[in-house]
């Protein structure tokens, strides 16, 4: 469900964009799911067509949805592919950890440090 | 739903609408939902629109019967004027239905504009949800049956029966167009809701209206009014059989399909 609160200080397009992005990320909206047309969603939510159009455009720029011409807008597979790559990398990392004999706690700390610094720190024992 | 008191302009009427809205909610197992001005207003308008739509169909039946009698009232066997008048009336009734739908939409838009929160589901209920396959099949079957009766009457060499069949076809095409217009409106007009419960109420209203549309009042009555007794015996027997079979199917459909509330709740849970 999408709810737009007219009294909120957050602009309506941002409310819509954030709710759609959240639903795509938590897979309430699955890959390939078709989104309503801009005009229909605008009518249902009592918003201007441009407002919904802007939210869709930003989601498209973020790679969360894709527009296939006149067929409409769909939830993009890009997010799902990213997850799959992360899963494969994690499996490779787990294999490296096992081969060099690092315990689980330290392996997790290494990952946390890498995520925090934003760099791919080499595993060192 | 909104909990604010009413900015009343007509308190007695609004109170009646609210009471009726409360009864409607109770009938649809939404007893924990308070009847709001939004819902009361929408239901009241919907009731008036339904009544007007029934009047439109009644006018169509009466006009068809009048066209049939006046077409054969004179000395000439073929008088095109009643047919033209009936066609013009059908066009007028279509326009009236369109204006009625526009009125309902405008009232809904005004009601929606007063909401501080507006909610919608991302998947709009389609015809499979709103009407449902069994009701769609039934509607197609009753239209086809009535059309088949009219078409078979056209094959009879008697000019009187053939002209009655033409009147029947004009009437049936008119009611098909009116029903199609109403269904299109039901499927396409915007959702007016502010939370999960009012979204459910919105879907229930659509399902109820769609089911009402499939009640074949004109399709059943027109062949009986126009052909029965005038056409050969086999055609009258076919008209009676069509009516009885249709009625049995309608009763079975009503008894065996889930209620509009159940359909709406299922639709909401899959969204």
């Amino acid at each position: 469900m999408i709810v737009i609160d007219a009294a909120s200080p957050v602009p309506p397009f941002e409310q819509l964009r954030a709710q759609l992005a959240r639903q795509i990320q938590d897979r309430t909206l699955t890959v390939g799911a078709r989104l309503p047309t801009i005009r229909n969603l605008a009518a249902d939510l009592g918003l201007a067509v441009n407002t919904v159009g802007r939210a869709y455009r930003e989601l498209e720029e973020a790679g969360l949805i894709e527009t296939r011409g006149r067929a409409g807008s769909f939830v993009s597979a890009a997010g799902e592919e990213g997850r799959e790559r992360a899963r494969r990398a994690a499996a490779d990392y787990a294999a490296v950890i096992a081969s060099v004999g690092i315990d689980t706690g330290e392996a997790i700390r290494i990952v946390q440090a890498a995520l925090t610094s934003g760099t791919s720190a080499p595993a060192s024992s | 739903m909104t909990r604010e008191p009413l900015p009343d302009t007509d308190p007695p009427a609004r109170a009646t609408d609210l009471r009726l809205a409360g009864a409607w909610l109770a009938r649809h197992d939404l007893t924990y939902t308070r009847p709001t001005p939004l819902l009361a207003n929408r239901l009241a308008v919907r009731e008036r629109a339904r009544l007007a739509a029934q009047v439109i169909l009644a006018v169509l039946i009466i006009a068809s019967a009048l066209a049939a009698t006046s077409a054969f009232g004179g000395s000439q066997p073929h008088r095109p004027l009643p047919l033209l008048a009936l066609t013009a009336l059908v066009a007028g009734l279509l326009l009236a239905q369109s204006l009625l739908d526009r009125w309902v939409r405008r009232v809904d838009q005004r009601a929606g504009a007063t909401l501080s929160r507006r909610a919608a589901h991302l998947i709009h209920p389609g015809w499979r949800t709103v009407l449902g396959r069994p009701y769609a099949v039934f509607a197609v079957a009753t239209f086809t049956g009535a059309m088949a009766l009219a078409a078979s009457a056209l094959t009879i060499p008697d000019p009187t029966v053939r002209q009655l069949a033409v009147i029947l076809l004009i009437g049936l095409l008119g009611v098909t167009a009116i029903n199609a217009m109403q269904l299109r409106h039901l499927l396409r007009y915007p959702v007016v809701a502010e939370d999960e419960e009012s979204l459910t109420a919105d879907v229930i209203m659509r399902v109820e209206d769609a089911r009402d549309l499939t009640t074949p009042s004109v399709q059943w009555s027109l062949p009986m009014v126009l052909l029965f007794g005038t056409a050969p015996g086999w055609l009258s027997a076919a008209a009676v059989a069509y009516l009885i079979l249709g009625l049995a199917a309608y009763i079975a459909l009503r008894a065996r399909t889930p209620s509009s509330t159940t359909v709406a709740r299922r639709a909401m849970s899959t969204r």
Side-chain angles (χ1 to χ4, degrees), chain B:
Chain B
M1 292 195 181
T2 312
R3 303 284 187 268
E4 289 85 11
L6 304 176
D8 281 328
T9 51
D10 184 3
R14 191 61 69 85
T16 309
D17 290 347
L18 274 173
R19 205 179 58 249
L20 291 174
W24 186 88
L25 286 168
R27 222 171 34 248
H28 293 91
D29 303 328
L30 294 168
T31 41
Y32 296 109
T33 307
R34 268 188 54 179
T36 62
L38 170 73
L39 182 69
N41 200 19
R42 292 190 69 199
L43 284 172
V45 169
R46 185 167 147 269
E47 272 309 305
R48 284 172 210 137
R50 270 180 169 184
L51 186 65
Q54 292 300 318
V55 171
I56 285 175
L57 293 181
V59 168
L60 184 63
I61 295 173
I62 293 166
S64 301
L66 286 176
T69 51
S70 62
F72 305 105
S75 54
Q76 294 173 302
H78 297 286
R79 295 170 64 192
L81 200 60
L83 296 183
L84 288 175
L86 181 62
T87 309
L89 180 81
V90 165
L93 293 178
L94 268 168
L95 179 67
Q97 184 59 55
S98 152
L99 292 174
L100 202 58
D101 290 342
R102 192 187 291 181
W103 173 59
V104 173
R105 199 162 54 242
R106 207 168 50 239
V107 170
D108 275 1
Q109 275 171 350
R110 276 207 296 266
T114 64
L115 298 175
S116 58
R117 276 161 51 96
R118 188 82 181 255
H121 269 298
L122 287 169
I123 304 167
H124 214 273
W127 71 269
R128 282 192 185 83
T129 305
V130 174
L131 183 58
R133 204 181 290 269
Y135 278 91
V137 169
F138 176 70
V140 170
T142 47
F143 272 114
T144 310
M147 291 285 190
L149 278 173
S152 58
L154 276 177
T155 63
I156 295 165
D158 182 349
T160 306
V161 176
R162 289 175 71 144
Q163 191 136 351
L164 285 175
V166 172
I167 291 170
L168 180 56
L169 279 173
I170 293 172
L172 288 174
L173 288 174
V175 78
T176 307
I178 289 171
N179 278 14
M181 183 185 282
Q182 285 176 287
L183 190 60
R184 180 178 173 274
H185 178 247
L186 267 186
L187 294 173
R188 294 189 64 170
Y189 79 84
V191 170
V192 181
E194 53 193 330
D195 54 25
E196 195 79 17
E197 288 301 300
S198 55
L199 267 177
T200 307
D202 188 273
V203 178
I204 291 173
M205 281 190 241
R206 285 169 203 264
V207 174
E208 278 192 339
D209 287 347
R211 289 183 173 188
D212 268 9
L213 274 182
T214 57
T215 308
S217 49
V218 181
Q219 299 90 303
W220 281 344
S221 39
L222 264 193
M224 296 300 282
V225 167
L226 297 181
L227 293 178
F228 195 75
T230 316
W234 63 266
L235 197 60
S236 296
V240 172
Y242 160 71
L243 182 62
I244 292 170
L245 278 175
L247 196 59
Y250 183 68
I251 292 167
L253 195 61
R254 286 277 174 176
R256 294 179 71 91
T257 47
S259 69
S260 51
T261 310
T262 309
V263 169
R265 290 227 182 266
R266 277 185 199 160
M268 297 296 287
S269 66
T270 56
R271 266 148 232 280

